[in-house]
Amino acid sequence: IGFHASSEKQYPVLSEAVKRRLEAFAAGITAGNSVGLPHKPHEFAILGGEPSPWAGLDVLTLMKLQSFSLASNWDVELARLRILLSDGPEALLAFDPLAGQGDKGTGGQGDEKSLGEGVAPLVSVSPGPLVQLHEDVAALRDALPLGGGSNNWVIAGSRTASGKPILASDPHLAPSAPPPWYLAHARCPEWEAAGAQLAGTPTFSIAHNGFAAWGVTAGLTDNSDIYLEELGPDGRTAKCADGSFAPCEVRREVIRVKGAADEVIEVVVTPRGPVITPHVEDVSVAVSLRAVWLEPLPVNGYFGAVTARSFEEFRRSFAEWPVLPLNVLYADINGGLGWQLIGQIPQRAAGHGLVPRPGWLPDSEWKGMVPFDAMPYRTDFPKGYFATANNEPEWPSPEPWLSADYCDPYRVRSITDALAAKDTGWTVEDCLALQRGVRSIPWEEVRDTVLSLTPTIPDAADGLELLEEWNGQVDSESPAACVFELFLAEMCVRTAKVKAPKAWRAALGERGGPLDDNFFVDRRIGFLVRQIREQPAGWFASWPAEMEAALGKVVLHLRTTVGPGPAYWAWGHLRQLRLDHPLFKNHAWLGPVFNLGPVPCGGATNTISQAGAKPTNPTGFTHNMANMRTAFDLGDLAKSRFVLCGGQSGNPWSDHHADQLPLWQAGESIPIPWLQAEVIRASRATLRLLPAGEGKGGRGT
């Protein structure tokens, strides 16, 4: 993909101020890895090798890697393409109705034409390249912090106990030890901030600066495109709009392998971007990737926002933000509120980017970026609150085209329902409690339909009896929640097999490809709920009979493999949370040392307290959850609270490896002292870093 290569092209266009920040941050990492550590980190001690010096270019590269791993759309495009190639356009249009919105040039008619010119004829092409792509990308994504999602909301001072705004933010990523977030308080002559950084990045993504606070959720705007490429016989030329073949750039990558010869890979880069599938003999289809985060564009965003003293100043910093698309909520001590959708997105000459587009079509190019002033934002919140949860933005205009691949709206509905139910008196503690909410709106929407079944299967009858008394809370101790979540998973599998019999596993995110933890999979429940309520023809001979069979199968499975009755079926004990070390998680000896848990875990994909599970493995460890919970009180920022799922340290023998996990489980949290006197009172140890020559070897104690 060329993360580092694109950073080399981008670095010269960055401002000198941003370069200085990147270089200073990288210098700190290098110093920490050399003079700062008495011993190697455990990973280097076990695997061998030495930490290499960091440069500002490496920090920029890491930001690109995060943008790739928290994909907004390219992985969904591949999901659609694989269904298309394996099962045909009818399967895609039935299984994902969004594909019918496909191409501007065809008017979005909801038929094969909507898939985009040049795509539908490819249904006869072997899916071989896509299979290889899934295997290749899986190797990389398996080592990255996958997943994505989040909640955030802001409450106006008119509805809070303090009379000042409260802002809450709980980002959702894959469970990991250590977490991807690092809590910090930084003070320097130009700015000061306290909150959370994504580890390895020099900015505060969720924090306050003494005047304003901000929090984020994934914005899921479409900032990347997959292109079908027709390469020449030598694999180094690509078809152009006029039918000719133009030379491609060829990038030589050398991968050093311990104990073996170097691996040399030649990457073909078309005018769209790098070819990320190998050229397969007898198949003239390759796939390339173009992404905003691979473009040589300036970066500002959080670098400038940290000094903001108004929402307008804050939001303007994100006019240059060609990386992660995010919903940013803002609140300040003067009562100011705001929401800005950030992350630059392309203006396409044609198409919506829902499915891969042939790169040789004349209208496949981008026409620059959407102007920042055209991006959605708000400063007025008539209801006194506003929330986002990876849902489609509240934006009345069809322009600019942002995306279609959002999460189901269940989490944001649960949040806004709770905020609307209490007019005044909101506190930080109330928000921390709401972040742990496990209300199931999917159950509320299908309850009447499911309970109207007249079962003839004894196991199904037992399941219905359990569900009839359920309060709809997907809590850890609930056996009814267990039955319902497994019933949804079973129905997802059954509906997928009907319309995509060849690609159904990939479409449901089964491990083995880049579809893991993507938003195509997370949107299956909303689609299934509509199906259960409407029971459209062309799927099953009888929807009621199919639902009864699914429910009976679930109860029989629980009875025969978990325990003889509901007392054994507690949801959070069957589907648990384990915090995985990125390298050693599955190692027989090292995994138990570096991982944390497993521990019981309530919630589901569509509860506020998210605990995602794949339909093909609903009782496996959750793959997406709140790694951190925060709530900021703009009436007294010292009362703001934070908690990580795990701890700050990656060292299993550190006191801070798991010290926050019990707090996270219990719904408790900690402050980050702000005023200098508070910092001094809270300090347990002090490390002084002095310029060389001013101390003992430039190091303090």
mmCIF file of all heavy atoms in Angstrom, residues 277-310:
data_model
loop_
_atom_site.group_PDB
_atom_site.id
_atom_site.type_symbol
_atom_site.label_atom_id
_atom_site.label_comp_id
_atom_site.label_asym_id
_atom_site.label_seq_id
_atom_site.Cartn_x
_atom_site.Cartn_y
_atom_site.Cartn_z
ATOM 1 N N THR A 277 -3.677 -6.451 -5.377
ATOM 2 C CA THR A 277 -3.816 -7.877 -5.655
ATOM 3 C C THR A 277 -2.691 -8.279 -6.594
ATOM 4 O O THR A 277 -2.332 -7.535 -7.505
ATOM 5 C CB THR A 277 -5.140 -8.193 -6.369
ATOM 6 O OG1 THR A 277 -5.352 -7.232 -7.393
ATOM 7 C CG2 THR A 277 -6.295 -8.180 -5.408
ATOM 8 N N PRO A 278 -2.132 -9.470 -6.407
ATOM 9 C CA PRO A 278 -1.145 -9.933 -7.386
ATOM 10 C C PRO A 278 -1.846 -10.233 -8.711
ATOM 11 O O PRO A 278 -3.024 -10.568 -8.740
ATOM 12 C CB PRO A 278 -0.599 -11.218 -6.744
ATOM 13 C CG PRO A 278 -1.715 -11.689 -5.858
ATOM 14 C CD PRO A 278 -2.399 -10.450 -5.356
ATOM 15 N N HIS A 279 -1.118 -10.079 -9.794
ATOM 16 C CA HIS A 279 -1.690 -10.389 -11.097
ATOM 17 C C HIS A 279 -1.749 -11.911 -11.242
ATOM 18 O O HIS A 279 -0.750 -12.603 -11.117
ATOM 19 C CB HIS A 279 -0.828 -9.793 -12.211
ATOM 20 C CG HIS A 279 -1.432 -9.953 -13.562
ATOM 21 N ND1 HIS A 279 -2.635 -9.392 -13.909
ATOM 22 C CD2 HIS A 279 -1.006 -10.621 -14.652
ATOM 23 C CE1 HIS A 279 -2.916 -9.691 -15.166
ATOM 24 N NE2 HIS A 279 -1.939 -10.450 -15.637
ATOM 25 N N VAL A 280 -2.942 -12.423 -11.458
ATOM 26 C CA VAL A 280 -3.158 -13.869 -11.520
ATOM 27 C C VAL A 280 -3.229 -14.307 -12.980
ATOM 28 O O VAL A 280 -3.923 -13.690 -13.785
ATOM 29 C CB VAL A 280 -4.456 -14.257 -10.786
ATOM 30 C CG1 VAL A 280 -4.672 -15.760 -10.817
ATOM 31 C CG2 VAL A 280 -4.392 -13.767 -9.343
ATOM 32 N N GLU A 281 -2.518 -15.355 -13.291
ATOM 33 C CA GLU A 281 -2.480 -15.858 -14.667
ATOM 34 C C GLU A 281 -3.891 -16.175 -15.164
ATOM 35 O O GLU A 281 -4.707 -16.750 -14.443
ATOM 36 C CB GLU A 281 -1.600 -17.108 -14.725
ATOM 37 C CG GLU A 281 -1.377 -17.621 -16.148
ATOM 38 C CD GLU A 281 -0.442 -18.805 -16.194
ATOM 39 O OE1 GLU A 281 0.065 -19.182 -15.128
ATOM 40 O OE2 GLU A 281 -0.234 -19.335 -17.298
ATOM 41 N N ASP A 282 -4.162 -15.775 -16.387
ATOM 42 C CA ASP A 282 -5.428 -16.025 -17.076
ATOM 43 C C ASP A 282 -6.592 -15.201 -16.516
ATOM 44 O O ASP A 282 -7.730 -15.387 -16.929
ATOM 45 C CB ASP A 282 -5.819 -17.519 -17.036
ATOM 46 C CG ASP A 282 -4.791 -18.375 -17.751
ATOM 47 O OD1 ASP A 282 -4.205 -17.882 -18.722
ATOM 48 O OD2 ASP A 282 -4.572 -19.519 -17.317
ATOM 49 N N VAL A 283 -6.311 -14.304 -15.579
ATOM 50 C CA VAL A 283 -7.351 -13.410 -15.063
ATOM 51 C C VAL A 283 -6.832 -11.984 -15.196
ATOM 52 O O VAL A 283 -5.854 -11.611 -14.566
ATOM 53 C CB VAL A 283 -7.685 -13.708 -13.586
ATOM 54 C CG1 VAL A 283 -8.706 -12.703 -13.051
ATOM 55 C CG2 VAL A 283 -8.225 -15.124 -13.460
ATOM 56 N N SER A 284 -7.473 -11.212 -16.059
ATOM 57 C CA SER A 284 -6.950 -9.883 -16.370
ATOM 58 C C SER A 284 -7.560 -8.809 -15.476
ATOM 59 O O SER A 284 -7.751 -7.681 -15.906
ATOM 60 C CB SER A 284 -7.244 -9.551 -17.836
ATOM 61 O OG SER A 284 -8.640 -9.578 -18.079
ATOM 62 N N VAL A 285 -7.879 -9.156 -14.242
ATOM 63 C CA VAL A 285 -8.455 -8.180 -13.320
ATOM 64 C C VAL A 285 -7.544 -8.037 -12.113
ATOM 65 O O VAL A 285 -7.211 -9.017 -11.458
ATOM 66 C CB VAL A 285 -9.861 -8.604 -12.851
ATOM 67 C CG1 VAL A 285 -10.400 -7.625 -11.817
ATOM 68 C CG2 VAL A 285 -10.804 -8.669 -14.037
ATOM 69 N N ALA A 286 -7.127 -6.842 -11.859
ATOM 70 C CA ALA A 286 -6.392 -6.516 -10.641
ATOM 71 C C ALA A 286 -7.165 -5.418 -9.924
ATOM 72 O O ALA A 286 -8.062 -4.798 -10.489
ATOM 73 C CB ALA A 286 -4.974 -6.062 -10.974
ATOM 74 N N VAL A 287 -6.817 -5.176 -8.677
ATOM 75 C CA VAL A 287 -7.525 -4.193 -7.870
ATOM 76 C C VAL A 287 -6.519 -3.211 -7.295
ATOM 77 O O VAL A 287 -5.496 -3.613 -6.727
ATOM 78 C CB VAL A 287 -8.303 -4.880 -6.722
ATOM 79 C CG1 VAL A 287 -8.952 -3.839 -5.827
ATOM 80 C CG2 VAL A 287 -9.360 -5.807 -7.284
ATOM 81 N N SER A 288 -6.804 -1.917 -7.462
ATOM 82 C CA SER A 288 -5.942 -0.881 -6.892
ATOM 83 C C SER A 288 -6.721 -0.086 -5.853
ATOM 84 O O SER A 288 -7.953 -0.103 -5.811
ATOM 85 C CB SER A 288 -5.410 0.056 -7.979
ATOM 86 O OG SER A 288 -6.463 0.816 -8.558
ATOM 87 N N LEU A 289 -5.986 0.621 -5.018
ATOM 88 C CA LEU A 289 -6.569 1.400 -3.935
ATOM 89 C C LEU A 289 -6.140 2.856 -4.058
ATOM 90 O O LEU A 289 -4.951 3.154 -4.205
ATOM 91 C CB LEU A 289 -6.106 0.854 -2.581
ATOM 92 C CG LEU A 289 -6.445 1.698 -1.346
ATOM 93 C CD1 LEU A 289 -7.945 1.721 -1.088
ATOM 94 C CD2 LEU A 289 -5.695 1.173 -0.117
ATOM 95 N N ARG A 290 -7.125 3.756 -3.988
ATOM 96 C CA ARG A 290 -6.823 5.175 -3.852
ATOM 97 C C ARG A 290 -7.497 5.669 -2.580
ATOM 98 O O ARG A 290 -8.668 5.390 -2.345
ATOM 99 C CB ARG A 290 -7.322 5.985 -5.045
ATOM 100 C CG ARG A 290 -6.907 7.462 -4.954
ATOM 101 C CD ARG A 290 -7.253 8.261 -6.190
ATOM 102 N NE ARG A 290 -6.688 9.607 -6.095
ATOM 103 C CZ ARG A 290 -6.877 10.574 -7.001
ATOM 104 N NH1 ARG A 290 -7.611 10.326 -8.082
ATOM 105 N NH2 ARG A 290 -6.320 11.760 -6.824
ATOM 106 N N ALA A 291 -6.755 6.384 -1.758
ATOM 107 C CA ALA A 291 -7.285 6.857 -0.482
ATOM 108 C C ALA A 291 -6.791 8.266 -0.218
ATOM 109 O O ALA A 291 -5.657 8.623 -0.574
ATOM 110 C CB ALA A 291 -6.850 5.934 0.653
ATOM 111 N N VAL A 292 -7.644 9.058 0.422
ATOM 112 C CA VAL A 292 -7.253 10.426 0.765
ATOM 113 C C VAL A 292 -6.004 10.412 1.628
ATOM 114 O O VAL A 292 -5.124 11.260 1.484
ATOM 115 C CB VAL A 292 -8.415 11.146 1.478
ATOM 116 C CG1 VAL A 292 -7.963 12.474 2.064
ATOM 117 C CG2 VAL A 292 -9.580 11.355 0.524
ATOM 118 N N TRP A 293 -5.906 9.417 2.525
ATOM 119 C CA TRP A 293 -4.760 9.382 3.438
ATOM 120 C C TRP A 293 -3.464 8.935 2.754
ATOM 121 O O TRP A 293 -2.409 8.884 3.407
ATOM 122 C CB TRP A 293 -5.062 8.504 4.656
ATOM 123 C CG TRP A 293 -5.943 7.325 4.404
ATOM 124 C CD1 TRP A 293 -7.303 7.268 4.517
ATOM 125 C CD2 TRP A 293 -5.545 6.010 4.000
ATOM 126 N NE1 TRP A 293 -7.769 6.012 4.202
ATOM 127 C CE2 TRP A 293 -6.713 5.215 3.882
ATOM 128 C CE3 TRP A 293 -4.311 5.428 3.726
ATOM 129 C CZ2 TRP A 293 -6.682 3.882 3.511
ATOM 130 C CZ3 TRP A 293 -4.277 4.098 3.349
ATOM 131 C CH2 TRP A 293 -5.449 3.346 3.247
ATOM 132 N N LEU A 294 -3.514 8.626 1.472
ATOM 133 C CA LEU A 294 -2.291 8.383 0.698
ATOM 134 C C LEU A 294 -1.915 9.580 -0.167
ATOM 135 O O LEU A 294 -0.914 9.534 -0.881
ATOM 136 C CB LEU A 294 -2.458 7.142 -0.186
ATOM 137 C CG LEU A 294 -2.548 5.790 0.528
ATOM 138 C CD1 LEU A 294 -2.811 4.669 -0.476
ATOM 139 C CD2 LEU A 294 -1.279 5.501 1.323
ATOM 140 N N GLU A 295 -2.725 10.642 -0.127
ATOM 141 C CA GLU A 295 -2.489 11.821 -0.960
ATOM 142 C C GLU A 295 -1.512 12.774 -0.264
ATOM 143 O O GLU A 295 -1.502 12.883 0.965
ATOM 144 C CB GLU A 295 -3.810 12.546 -1.223
ATOM 145 C CG GLU A 295 -4.876 11.702 -1.922
ATOM 146 C CD GLU A 295 -4.582 11.502 -3.397
ATOM 147 O OE1 GLU A 295 -4.319 12.497 -4.097
ATOM 148 O OE2 GLU A 295 -4.640 10.347 -3.856
ATOM 149 N N PRO A 296 -0.694 13.513 -1.031
ATOM 150 C CA PRO A 296 0.252 14.478 -0.445
ATOM 151 C C PRO A 296 -0.440 15.797 -0.086
ATOM 152 O O PRO A 296 -0.332 16.802 -0.782
ATOM 153 C CB PRO A 296 1.281 14.662 -1.557
ATOM 154 C CG PRO A 296 0.528 14.414 -2.821
ATOM 155 C CD PRO A 296 -0.504 13.369 -2.492
ATOM 156 N N LEU A 297 -1.164 15.782 1.032
ATOM 157 C CA LEU A 297 -1.947 16.937 1.466
ATOM 158 C C LEU A 297 -1.454 17.431 2.829
ATOM 159 O O LEU A 297 -0.960 16.652 3.642
ATOM 160 C CB LEU A 297 -3.430 16.557 1.572
ATOM 161 C CG LEU A 297 -4.115 16.125 0.268
ATOM 162 C CD1 LEU A 297 -5.491 15.538 0.570
ATOM 163 C CD2 LEU A 297 -4.231 17.303 -0.691
ATOM 164 N N PRO A 298 -1.609 18.722 3.116
ATOM 165 C CA PRO A 298 -1.212 19.251 4.429
ATOM 166 C C PRO A 298 -2.064 18.662 5.547
ATOM 167 O O PRO A 298 -3.192 18.216 5.330
ATOM 168 C CB PRO A 298 -1.444 20.758 4.295
ATOM 169 C CG PRO A 298 -1.605 21.025 2.844
ATOM 170 C CD PRO A 298 -2.104 19.773 2.217
ATOM 171 N N VAL A 299 -1.526 18.684 6.759
ATOM 172 C CA VAL A 299 -2.220 18.182 7.943
ATOM 173 C C VAL A 299 -2.179 19.261 9.020
ATOM 174 O O VAL A 299 -1.131 19.851 9.282
ATOM 175 C CB VAL A 299 -1.559 16.898 8.490
ATOM 176 C CG1 VAL A 299 -2.280 16.419 9.751
ATOM 177 C CG2 VAL A 299 -1.559 15.803 7.437
ATOM 178 N N ASN A 300 -3.340 19.509 9.636
ATOM 179 C CA ASN A 300 -3.376 20.401 10.796
ATOM 180 C C ASN A 300 -4.260 19.762 11.864
ATOM 181 O O ASN A 300 -3.792 19.071 12.732
ATOM 182 C CB ASN A 300 -3.884 21.800 10.399
ATOM 183 C CG ASN A 300 -3.790 22.781 11.539
ATOM 184 O OD1 ASN A 300 -3.095 22.533 12.534
ATOM 185 N ND2 ASN A 300 -4.477 23.897 11.441
ATOM 186 N N GLY A 301 -5.573 19.956 11.801
ATOM 187 C CA GLY A 301 -6.490 19.276 12.702
ATOM 188 C C GLY A 301 -6.172 19.512 14.161
ATOM 189 O O GLY A 301 -6.135 20.646 14.637
ATOM 190 N N TYR A 302 -5.932 18.431 14.891
ATOM 191 C CA TYR A 302 -5.701 18.527 16.328
ATOM 192 C C TYR A 302 -4.445 19.316 16.669
ATOM 193 O O TYR A 302 -4.326 19.822 17.793
ATOM 194 C CB TYR A 302 -5.615 17.131 16.943
ATOM 195 C CG TYR A 302 -6.930 16.404 16.978
ATOM 196 C CD1 TYR A 302 -7.163 15.294 16.170
ATOM 197 C CD2 TYR A 302 -7.951 16.831 17.815
ATOM 198 C CE1 TYR A 302 -8.372 14.629 16.198
ATOM 199 C CE2 TYR A 302 -9.171 16.168 17.850
ATOM 200 C CZ TYR A 302 -9.377 15.066 17.036
ATOM 201 O OH TYR A 302 -10.585 14.416 17.068
ATOM 202 N N PHE A 303 -3.511 19.411 15.745
ATOM 203 C CA PHE A 303 -2.325 20.217 16.010
ATOM 204 C C PHE A 303 -2.708 21.667 16.296
ATOM 205 O O PHE A 303 -2.135 22.317 17.159
ATOM 206 C CB PHE A 303 -1.368 20.159 14.813
ATOM 207 C CG PHE A 303 -0.710 18.830 14.614
ATOM 208 C CD1 PHE A 303 -1.119 17.976 13.594
ATOM 209 C CD2 PHE A 303 0.321 18.407 15.437
ATOM 210 C CE1 PHE A 303 -0.515 16.744 13.404
ATOM 211 C CE2 PHE A 303 0.930 17.178 15.257
ATOM 212 C CZ PHE A 303 0.508 16.342 14.233
ATOM 213 N N GLY A 304 -3.682 22.179 15.542
ATOM 214 C CA GLY A 304 -4.120 23.559 15.737
ATOM 215 C C GLY A 304 -5.265 23.692 16.712
ATOM 216 O O GLY A 304 -5.390 24.700 17.413
ATOM 217 N N ALA A 305 -6.120 22.669 16.795
ATOM 218 C CA ALA A 305 -7.331 22.764 17.603
ATOM 219 C C ALA A 305 -7.040 22.871 19.090
ATOM 220 O O ALA A 305 -7.848 23.409 19.849
ATOM 221 C CB ALA A 305 -8.228 21.549 17.336
ATOM 222 N N VAL A 306 -5.889 22.379 19.513
ATOM 223 C CA VAL A 306 -5.602 22.322 20.937
ATOM 224 C C VAL A 306 -5.522 23.706 21.572
ATOM 225 O O VAL A 306 -5.693 23.861 22.788
ATOM 226 C CB VAL A 306 -4.302 21.519 21.167
ATOM 227 C CG1 VAL A 306 -3.080 22.313 20.725
ATOM 228 C CG2 VAL A 306 -4.179 21.070 22.601
ATOM 229 N N THR A 307 -5.293 24.744 20.790
ATOM 230 C CA THR A 307 -5.201 26.106 21.337
ATOM 231 C C THR A 307 -6.499 26.889 21.164
ATOM 232 O O THR A 307 -6.551 28.071 21.504
ATOM 233 C CB THR A 307 -4.063 26.885 20.643
ATOM 234 O OG1 THR A 307 -4.344 26.968 19.231
ATOM 235 C CG2 THR A 307 -2.725 26.199 20.855
ATOM 236 N N ALA A 308 -7.561 26.263 20.635
ATOM 237 C CA ALA A 308 -8.782 26.977 20.272
ATOM 238 C C ALA A 308 -9.453 27.618 21.485
ATOM 239 O O ALA A 308 -9.474 27.052 22.580
ATOM 240 C CB ALA A 308 -9.753 26.034 19.576
ATOM 241 N N ARG A 309 -10.042 28.796 21.248
ATOM 242 C CA ARG A 309 -10.828 29.501 22.256
ATOM 243 C C ARG A 309 -12.225 29.829 21.734
ATOM 244 O O ARG A 309 -12.904 30.690 22.269
ATOM 245 C CB ARG A 309 -10.104 30.776 22.704
ATOM 246 C CG ARG A 309 -8.877 30.518 23.573
ATOM 247 C CD ARG A 309 -9.276 29.804 24.863
ATOM 248 N NE ARG A 309 -8.165 29.536 25.768
ATOM 249 C CZ ARG A 309 -7.429 28.438 25.752
ATOM 250 N NH1 ARG A 309 -7.658 27.491 24.824
ATOM 251 N NH2 ARG A 309 -6.477 28.246 26.630
ATOM 252 N N SER A 310 -12.653 29.122 20.698
ATOM 253 C CA SER A 310 -14.024 29.209 20.192
ATOM 254 C C SER A 310 -14.252 28.012 19.279
ATOM 255 O O SER A 310 -13.294 27.413 18.771
ATOM 256 C CB SER A 310 -14.260 30.504 19.412
ATOM 257 O OG SER A 310 -13.555 30.488 18.183
#
